[in-house]
């Protein structure tokens, strides 16, 4: 999947494979340590990161990397998804990872469909996720006095996995958004359309929200199926950045590519697909 995409965020790979982002990151780092031309990077907002660190307890500094990883600490291209273009360091003389004698206990599942080249709709398709982990919910509209359902324009209240107090507003649903999609340099295949969802997340508590706000923001069809976001961003409608500090509000635009005949009945947000008690749902009128 990484070879097909070229550049990808860990959370996007995890969402497509239905895996925990920490597991995906661990496997990517392990692969890069074997000498493969793979660079696992990270991106942050320096000012907000320093502010978040200043508000947290001080932990002992991490131990230095073993000698076999020293070759990967050289400066390289900036950005969270950069792939080095120069010669790659030779494999480590000793394998720091134990040999596996049997089949992997948790093999990475194969994606359902083959992704096409970048800048085409087949690369950005969001209507065929490898694994759909979200299921329709049958809960009441209110939990702990907080509204969990509403219409476009409504601000709904919920909590994050770490106890963050969140207020999320579905500002706008642009459907179709083909003109925005093509203006960014992408191409739709015949029989497809694009949808852009604009949301804003406010952190009302004192705990930083440390993940991508629209990581599990999905479209829902009349039969309860969900459509994952496409791994593209629009220059005219900026995407989310990772993390929202206490007291701050962040906005972002999420892009989807769906079959032209698909009907969207609602937009659903959840901190994790299996955490239904904190899910928010906005009804979308035809």
């Amino acid at each position: 999947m990484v070879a097909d995409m070229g550049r990808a965020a860990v959370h996007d790979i995890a969402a497509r494979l239905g895996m925990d982002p920490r597991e995906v990151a661990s496997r990517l780092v392990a692969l890069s340590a074997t000498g493969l031309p793979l660079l696992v990077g990270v991106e942050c907002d320096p000012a907000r990161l320093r502010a978040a660190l200043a508000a947290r307890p001080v932990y002992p500094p991490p131990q230095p990397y073993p000698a076999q990883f020293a070759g990967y600490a050289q400066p390289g291209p900036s950005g969270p998804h950069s792939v080095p273009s120069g010669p790659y360091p030779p494999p480590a003389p000793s394998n720091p990872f134990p040999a596996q004698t049997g089949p992997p206990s948790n093999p990475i599942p194969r994606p359902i469909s083959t992704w096409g080249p970048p800048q085409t709709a087949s690369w950005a398709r969001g209507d065929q996720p490898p694994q759909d982990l979200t299921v329709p919910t049958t809960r009441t509209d209110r939990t702990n006095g907080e509204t969990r359902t509403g219409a476009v324009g409504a601000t709904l209240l919920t909590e994050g996995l770490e106890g963050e107090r969140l207020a999320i507003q579905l500002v706008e649903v642009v459907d179709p958004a083909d003109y925005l999609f093509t203006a960014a340099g992408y191409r739709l295949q015949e029989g497809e359309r694009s949808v852009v969802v604009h949301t804003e997340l406010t952190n009302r508590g004192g705990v930083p929200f440390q993940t991508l706000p629209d990581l599990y923001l999905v479209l829902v069809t009349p039969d309860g199926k969900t459509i994952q976001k496409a791994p593209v961003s629009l220059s005219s409608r900026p995407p989310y950045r990772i993390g929202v500090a206490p007291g701050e509000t962040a906005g972002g635009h999420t892009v989807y590519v769906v079959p032209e005949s698909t009907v969207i009945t609602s937009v659903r947000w959840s901190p994790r697909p299996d955490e239904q008690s904190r899910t928010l749902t906005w009804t979308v009128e035809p």
Side-chain angles (χ1 to χ4, degrees):
M1 177 173 288
V2 174
D4 289 339
M5 300 176 72
R7 306 173 72 182
V10 169
H11 61 267
D12 278 336
I13 300 174
R16 294 185 180 283
L17 297 178
M19 296 175 60
D20 189 308
R22 292 168 293 186
E23 173 70 11
V24 172
S26 174
R27 294 193 182 197
L28 289 174
V29 170
L31 288 173
S32 69
T34 64
L36 289 177
L38 175 67
L39 180 64
V40 183
V42 64
E43 182 183 29
C44 75
D45 183 323
R48 289 169 57 187
L49 180 60
R50 291 190 181 97
L53 291 174
R56 294 165 83 74
V58 178
Y59 296 98
Q63 296 298 320
Y65 287 107
Q68 59 263 35
F69 296 103
Y72 296 90
Q74 302 300 323
S78 61
H81 321 307
S82 302
V83 177
S85 58
Y88 308 111
S94 60
N95 183 8
F97 303 96
Q100 190 163 345
T101 57
S105 58
N106 184 22
I108 298 178
R110 294 180 178 273
I112 292 177
S113 58
T114 302
W115 296 82
Q119 305 302 324
T120 66
S122 60
W123 170 69
R125 292 181 68 90
D127 60 308
Q128 296 179 349
Q131 185 176 357
D132 183 8
L133 297 180
T134 38
V135 296
T137 58
T138 56
R139 50 181 167 69
T140 58
D141 287 350
R142 288 180 176 271
T143 303
N144 297 329
E146 296 181 346
T147 303
R148 305 294 198 193
T149 61
V152 176
T155 299
L156 307 180
L157 307 180
T158 187
E159 290 186 357
L161 297 176
E162 304 297 329
E164 310 96 319
R165 298 177 58 215
L166 307 175
I168 304 177
Q169 180 185 16
L170 178 58
V171 180
E172 180 185 26
V173 177
V174 182
D175 183 12
D178 298 353
Y179 66 99
L180 296 173
F181 193 83
T182 55
Y186 303 105
R187 298 192 305 273
L188 287 166
Q189 294 182 353
E190 176 122 11
E192 292 185 330
R193 79 177 193 271
S194 62
V195 180
V196 174
V197 175
H198 178 197
T199 53
E200 291 186 351
L201 184 147
T202 300
N203 190 341
R204 304 181 301 136
V207 179
F209 184 74
Q210 302 185 44
T211 188
L212 197 64
D214 64 346
L215 181 57
Y216 298 115
L217 185 71
V218 299
L219 305 180
V220 184
T221 62
D223 56 1
K225 294 182 178 179
T226 59
I227 300 174
Q228 309 288 338
K229 68 176 185 175
V232 299
S233 60
L234 308 180
S235 55
S236 60
R237 303 291 180 96
Y240 272 109
R241 287 183 171 272
I242 295 178
V244 182
E248 290 189 357
T249 297
H253 296 80
T254 310
V255 184
Y256 304 84
V257 175
V258 303
E260 194 170 12
S261 60
T262 299
V263 176
I264 306 301
T265 57
S266 61
V267 176
R268 180 187 300 163
W269 181 95
S270 58
R272 193 173 59 200
D274 58 351
E275 187 57 67
Q276 298 302 319
S277 63
R278 308 182 190 192
T279 295
L280 304 178
T281 304
W282 294 266
T283 302
V284 177
E285 295 296 333

